[in-house]
Amino acid sequence: MNGTINYSGIKLTEVRIKNFRSLKNIRLDLDWLTILIGENNSGKTSFLDALFASIGAGRHIISANDVFLEKEERKVPKDREATIDIIIRPTNGDGKLVDTFSEGSFWLELWGEGISQDDLENDFVGIRTQIKWDSSKGEYVISRHFLKDIKSGQSWTDSETKSPISLSQIEPIGLYLLDAKRDIKDELQSHSSFWSKMVSELDLDDISIDKFEELPFVCSFCSLN
């Protein structure tokens, strides 16, 4: 309760998306808190869905609707691929970016040879997610690989990849996407939901619990009953 923040040792610093939903080609730098502001149908949800397709905690069903469609097109060309790159960099105990992953760190053990160096020889982990049509399966499939380098500008999709990424290497950074309009009621009422599991295992001491219980509680979900 002293206001101390425990940083994880990594930070998601950049996201690049091409041909996903309404996003033809974008690049966005992220901070510890990033707020998306825009009109309806401006791509906010598409951006979040792209992140979920990349590192989502759960199965993302992929279809032609997830691939960018030009205004004059009636259907998505089978050879068009959607690409999502996320860049992760190491941080210290204060949440500040550092040059390398510390020796013996959890992330170094988890990603191993998946860790690369940029032009300044600073460590990073790049996760590339590609959505493409598989003619042998007759459906869209997802593949994930570590990035070997980071290209700049419009040629960022030319960045080289290396080894495939396993689900176990993504699970510790899994994104849980909660739609407040659609999912909040089920999340609060279900004991098996992610939210329920998260708030039921806080591992707080008795003093912290007493302080929380003394705080005023305001419920904004008037229509849940």
Side-chain angles (χ1 to χ4, degrees):
M1 298 299 291
N2 58 6
T4 301
I5 298 176
N6 295 318
Y7 291 96
S8 64
I10 58 171
K11 180 180 180 182
L12 174 57
T13 60
E14 185 179 344
V15 179
R16 301 177 180 192
I17 304 170
K18 183 174 182 179
N19 290 335
F20 184 87
R21 298 276 182 90
S22 64
L23 305 176
K24 187 171 184 178
N25 195 336
I26 70 163
R27 173 190 171 277
L28 182 65
D29 293 323
L30 302 181
D31 210 329
W32 288 114
L33 174 63
T34 301
I35 300 175
L36 303 178
I37 300 175
E39 299 178 354
N40 291 338
N41 300 317
S42 61
K44 302 186 300 296
T45 300
S46 292
F47 179 84
L48 296 175
D49 284 342
L51 281 180
F52 188 77
S54 176
I55 56 172
R59 185 172 182 271
H60 184 84
I61 299 175
I62 294 297
S63 70
N65 294 329
D66 292 309
V67 183
F68 182 81
L69 181 69
E70 297 281 3
K71 290 182 179 181
E72 66 276 7
E73 294 176 333
R74 298 185 62 182
K75 61 180 182 179
V76 176
K78 289 294 192 295
D79 61 349
R80 180 173 296 158
E81 302 176 1
T83 303
I84 305 151
D85 284 359
I86 67 170
I87 308 301
I88 298 170
R89 294 187 182 273
T91 66
N92 62 16
D94 296 324
K96 296 180 180 179
L97 295 178
V98 292
D99 296 341
T100 60
F101 285 91
S102 59
E103 193 68 31
S105 73
F106 169 80
W107 305 110
L108 188 62
E109 294 293 328
L110 179 69
W111 291 322
E113 295 182 357
I115 297 174
S116 300
Q117 286 73 43
D118 59 21
D119 293 340
L120 299 177
E121 297 186 354
N122 295 328
D123 283 357
F124 76 91
V125 170
I127 296 177
R128 167 161 293 181
T129 302
Q130 289 182 299
I131 299 170
K132 63 179 69 176
W133 176 259
D134 187 321
S135 57
S136 63
K137 295 182 178 180
E139 61 183 9
Y140 282 90
V141 297
I142 288 182
S143 64
R144 298 180 181 90
H145 290 79
F146 287 111
L147 287 177
K148 185 177 181 180
D149 57 13
I150 305 176
K151 301 291 185 185
S152 60
Q154 293 298 310
S155 62
W156 64 268
T157 52
D158 294 333
S159 300
E160 292 186 51
T161 60
K162 42 187 182 181
S163 58
I165 301 174
S166 66
L167 291 178
S168 63
Q169 290 176 307
I170 291 180
E171 186 177 13
I173 59 169
L175 168 69
Y176 189 83
L177 186 58
L178 177 65
D179 188 323
K181 292 182 179 179
R182 184 188 64 214
D183 302 331
I184 192 69
K185 182 177 180 180
D186 291 340
E187 283 291 318
L188 292 176
Q189 293 182 341
S190 173
H191 293 294
S192 62
S193 70
F194 177 84
W195 174 266
S196 178
K197 293 176 181 177
M198 183 173 66
V199 299
S200 64
E201 301 178 6
L202 295 179
D203 195 25
L204 297 175
D205 55 54
D206 292 340
I207 296 176
S208 297
I209 292 175
D210 289 341
K211 289 184 178 180
F212 272 121
E213 291 179 344
E214 292 172 0
L215 295 174
F217 177 72
V218 178
C219 180
S220 302
F221 306 109
C222 313
S223 61
L224 293 184
N225 296 328

